[in-house]
Amino acid sequence: MTGPEERTGVLLGEVRTGLLQHSVELSRPAALQLLDLRHGERVRSSTRPNQQVRSPDLLTGVDCPLPTGSRRAVRGVGTALTHAVLTEGRVLQASVRARVGERGAGLRLPWGHYLARPGTVEPTGPVTDADLVGGHLLTGPPAGRLDLGALAERLLTDLQGRPQLDRRAPFKSRRTRLLWSCEPGPPAARFTIEDGTLRTLRLSLEQADPEAVTAFCEDLALHDWLLTTLVQLVDRSGLGSVPGAEPVLRLRPAVNHLLHLWMPGARVDRVLAQVWGHLESSPGFTRQWAAAVQRIRDQLALQAVGLAAPVGER
């Protein structure tokens, strides 16, 4: 029986997002082939509101210390679920999650016990939700503890190295990481930009559907990557400081490959759509995206009528 000081269940996950290393958008048949990760398991795809392909879940057994904010050594045994998502044949994500379930028997049980509970890790000792969340959202390396990010990175690296990709991405970009947690409680969300590539999200919900929460975090990670990458392209273009058509030429990848992908919340569960609404008010994803896109379009319009160059150059 779980004591009053112990946790009742928390979801931990990570999403890594990057540009597919291929010169053109991957076609739907090719995307289905790329994400066919388990023989006999169906690769899911949808075409509305845009094309998205999702691999079946991969099951990975874990038996290691859990990340705890207090640094207490609590062993966890079970399985984590990992899958990949490809949006519009251009943005590739690797997503992993585990529910740290009820306290186990204190000893490792036969693997059949854990395989019957896919995506669940059982702690072998008492640990609180807050301790687990604090440890998982630490930005430093887990130092020998459960590292969900390593599973996501391994899948992403494997897919980017497949022979059907030519590894000639149309522009340079950086991968981003979203570390997330979801614990029982009144609805709340705290999104933090830790540095140039790392973000954390601490969610609490009265009832959490693991698949719905994971899909929400993937949607958030996708749009955070889009916004981050677009801002980087604008910064590198010299827009506002370099005269002539050069900035427009440097921004061409953004127009060709990114601007049509912005659809936040399109595939998010109704309850979690409210969380998206909160994030839209602060930090205001769409507001910043719209400002950057308008700036690019204004520059394109100026170039079209020949007004972008300084007077002395015309």
Side-chain angles (χ1 to χ4, degrees):
M1 179 178 295
T2 302
E5 78 287 359
E6 298 172 18
R7 42 154 314 286
T8 57
V10 62
L11 287 168
L12 305 176
E14 182 165 338
V15 185
R16 298 202 175 193
T17 305
L19 184 70
L20 188 72
Q21 296 302 298
H22 197 54
S23 55
V24 298
E25 291 180 0
L26 206 62
S27 67
R28 182 174 176 274
L32 291 171
Q33 183 183 30
L34 180 71
L35 299 194
D36 186 10
L37 303 181
R38 288 186 66 182
H39 180 69
E41 294 284 341
R42 185 170 64 93
V43 182
R44 293 181 292 170
S45 68
S46 60
T47 55
R48 297 288 187 275
N50 55 16
Q51 181 181 291
Q52 192 172 80
V53 178
R54 306 174 73 86
S55 79
D57 283 326
L58 301 176
L59 204 60
T60 303
V62 298
D63 181 354
C64 58
L66 296 171
T68 57
S70 64
R71 303 293 185 182
R72 290 177 58 241
V74 180
R75 182 183 177 189
V77 187
T79 58
L81 294 175
T82 308
H83 64 259
V85 182
L86 182 62
T87 300
E88 283 290 331
R90 178 50 70 199
V91 184
L92 182 63
Q93 296 178 287
S95 177
V96 58
R97 76 165 190 267
R99 185 178 76 89
V100 183
E102 296 181 356
R103 181 179 172 181
L107 297 173
R108 175 171 167 170
L109 300 173
W111 272 112
H113 169 83
Y114 304 106
L115 292 175
R117 298 162 177 77
T120 299
V121 175
E122 296 181 357
T124 57
V127 60
T128 65
D129 287 347
D131 203 11
L132 278 171
V133 170
H136 177 62
L137 297 185
L138 282 176
T139 56
R145 297 171 186 264
L146 177 63
D147 186 357
L148 297 180
L151 301 179
E153 184 64 24
R154 185 170 66 189
L155 176 58
L156 204 57
T157 301
D158 171 60
L159 290 172
Q160 296 281 27
R162 294 287 175 95
Q164 56 263 59
L165 304 182
D166 59 22
R167 287 179 283 283
R168 293 191 291 118
F171 58 92
K172 292 183 179 179
S173 64
R174 292 190 292 179
R175 293 180 183 177
T176 56
R177 301 168 55 201
L178 173 67
L179 291 169
W180 63 267
S181 65
C182 183
E183 53 196 309
R190 186 172 66 198
F191 176 76
T192 305
I193 298 175
E194 304 287 352
D195 59 31
T197 58
L198 177 64
R199 289 85 171 91
T200 57
L201 175 69
R202 183 167 185 167
L203 275 174
S204 64
L205 295 171
E206 292 174 347
Q207 290 186 331
D209 175 351
E211 287 195 16
V213 172
T214 303
F216 169 81
C217 293
E218 291 162 2
D219 193 58
L220 174 61
L222 169 66
H223 289 87
D224 174 70
W225 181 87
L226 287 171
L227 180 56
T228 301
T229 303
L230 183 67
V231 170
Q232 290 170 349
L233 286 172
V234 171
D235 289 344
R236 292 202 300 260
S237 72
L239 195 63
S241 58
V242 176
E246 187 61 26
V248 172
L249 294 175
R250 294 175 183 172
L251 286 170
R252 190 162 53 186
V255 177
N256 290 341
H257 301 286
L258 298 182
L259 298 192
H260 62 291
L261 298 182
W262 190 259
M263 297 181 188
R267 291 185 172 87
V268 169
D269 177 83
R270 179 176 56 82
V271 173
L272 287 157
Q274 299 174 14
V275 180
W276 245 125
H278 171 71
L279 294 173
E280 287 288 26
S281 61
S282 177
F285 282 83
T286 296
R287 189 163 54 241
Q288 187 178 1
W289 173 268
V293 170
Q294 189 59 51
R295 194 178 179 201
I296 293 171
R297 287 176 175 162
D298 287 346
Q299 188 69 17
L300 291 172
L302 288 172
Q303 284 295 326
V305 298
L307 298 178
V311 173
E313 296 185 2
R314 288 186 273 126

